[in-house]
Amino acid sequence: MPSLPDAAMPDAAALAQRAAAEQAHDPHLADVALKPAFFDWLCRMGDNSLILGHRISEWCGHGPALEEDIAQANTALDLIGQTQMWLGLAAEVEDAGRSADDLAYLRDAMKFRNLKLLELPNGDLAVTLMRQFLFDAFHFELLTALCRSSSPRVAEIAAKALKEVSYHLERSSDLVVRLGDGTEESHARMQAALDKVWPYTGEMFAADGVDEAVAKAGIAPELSELLPLWQRTVAQVLSEATLSQPDRDFAAQKGGKQGRHTEHLGYILAEMQFLQRAYPGASW
């Protein structure tokens, strides 16, 4: 990786191309039959981190305490950094001349593949933290499995992201326990938050043709394998937090992975994509 002075040099593009060429060969990138599913799956990974990262960034300057404000901002930055890697690889697989920025800023809502859970409004801090915890528990298990991916590029990205997401899960779990087993008001807020977001969590494990194709290729795990691991973590943390797991259908809300979103995603994209759409091709 070039040093900071190197990155500012005119030949930075050449350095980047050379670094990419030195990466491990990935046979999946040349698999024409797999390309549509692989591209769609990579967009799902990137869109999840992008949309959640943007949502969490909305807390910047509005946190209830300075420490929490900074922690939320850092989590958002971690997720946006992961987006750059996932969508960057998606652009390579697509091989249509688009970049990670193009995929982030120039797609319409129906082309986004993120989970509905992640586009829900922040609500109060209880909703934000509960949404974060439930996704972190899934994200951690998914990235752990992806470190064994048959795709060297996917495994490399997963290994980098896992270091950050391990901390995300540790932090969100701790806060869910502290607030759930805290005051009467904090407990009530956390239980209400859990009840609210619970119907959206099942989509994480709802496999479709895309999930099946990348699992068959050895790129990603079977989502059904992750469900008991997620359930174990969630049950343990909720028990410590003295919170009751809802008996409602946890897979009532689905469709985000296929491009069927809530109205909230449109508002996110209107804010996130405004500059690029108003000034096409603009750069710093």
Side-chain angles (χ1 to χ4, degrees):
M1 184 173 182
S3 64
L4 289 177
D6 288 337
M9 294 170 60
D11 62 346
L15 290 170
Q17 291 176 354
R18 186 173 65 192
E22 292 173 352
Q23 293 186 20
H25 173 66
D26 192 332
H28 298 298
L29 271 63
D31 189 334
V32 176
L34 182 62
K35 178 185 287 191
F38 195 13
F39 171 75
D40 201 286
W41 180 82
L42 287 167
C43 285
R44 293 178 182 187
M45 295 296 295
D47 291 348
N48 281 341
S49 54
L50 175 62
I51 297 305
L52 181 58
H54 184 83
R55 267 294 185 225
I56 297 174
S57 73
E58 294 174 348
W59 277 102
C60 188
H62 300 281
L66 181 59
E67 180 181 0
E68 183 61 23
D69 196 293
I70 295 173
Q72 293 282 11
N74 285 335
T75 299
L77 288 172
D78 287 344
L79 291 168
I80 298 301
Q82 293 168 26
T83 298
Q84 181 70 34
M85 294 188 289
W86 290 121
L87 293 187
L89 182 54
E92 285 188 52
V93 170
E94 184 187 37
D95 193 23
R98 291 199 289 183
S99 66
D101 284 349
D102 293 328
L103 293 175
Y105 298 122
L106 299 178
R107 279 183 298 156
D108 293 331
M110 290 185 295
K111 297 295 184 180
F112 271 74
R113 297 292 184 259
N114 60 279
L115 301 167
K116 283 185 175 180
L117 170 68
L118 308 181
E119 66 198 42
L120 296 178
N122 286 329
D124 62 11
L125 190 62
V127 173
T128 295
L129 291 175
M130 186 58 70
R131 177 187 61 196
Q132 185 72 37
F133 162 65
L134 294 172
F135 178 71
D136 285 344
F138 165 75
H139 204 191
F140 174 83
E141 299 299 346
L142 175 59
L143 291 173
T144 299
L146 289 178
C147 288
R148 303 185 294 272
S149 173
S150 63
S151 166
R153 299 288 298 281
V154 167
E156 180 183 29
I157 294 172
K160 292 179 180 178
L162 182 59
K163 297 176 183 178
E164 298 169 339
V165 173
S166 297
Y167 169 72
H168 296 175
L169 177 58
E170 179 182 351
R171 176 178 169 275
S172 61
S173 299
D174 178 65
L175 287 172
V176 167
V177 171
R178 288 167 59 188
L179 293 173
D181 193 29
T183 66
E184 182 177 344
E185 180 178 358
S186 70
H187 174 86
R189 284 178 177 247
M190 293 304 291
Q191 185 64 58
L194 176 60
D195 294 340
K196 180 175 182 178
V197 303
W198 186 254
Y200 293 87
T201 56
E203 186 182 7
M204 296 184 288
F205 308 98
D208 61 6
V210 170
D211 297 307
E212 293 168 359
V214 293
K216 183 178 180 180
I219 295 172
E222 296 280 356
L223 292 177
S224 59
E225 298 175 359
L226 305 182
L227 179 56
L229 302 175
W230 178 82
Q231 289 175 323
R232 182 180 62 191
T233 300
V234 169
Q236 178 181 346
V237 172
L238 293 184
S239 176
E240 291 183 34
T242 66
L243 297 171
S244 301
Q245 182 171 302
D247 56 8
R248 304 163 62 191
D249 181 7
F250 84 139
Q253 296 289 339
K254 295 183 289 186
K257 296 200 295 185
Q258 293 79 34
R260 301 189 301 274
H261 296 281
T262 69
E263 64 178 3
H264 307 299
L265 181 63
Y267 290 101
I268 293 174
L269 297 183
E271 179 179 356
M272 187 177 74
Q273 297 182 339
F274 170 77
L275 184 63
Q276 185 57 245
R277 290 187 181 265
Y279 304 96
S283 62
W284 293 105

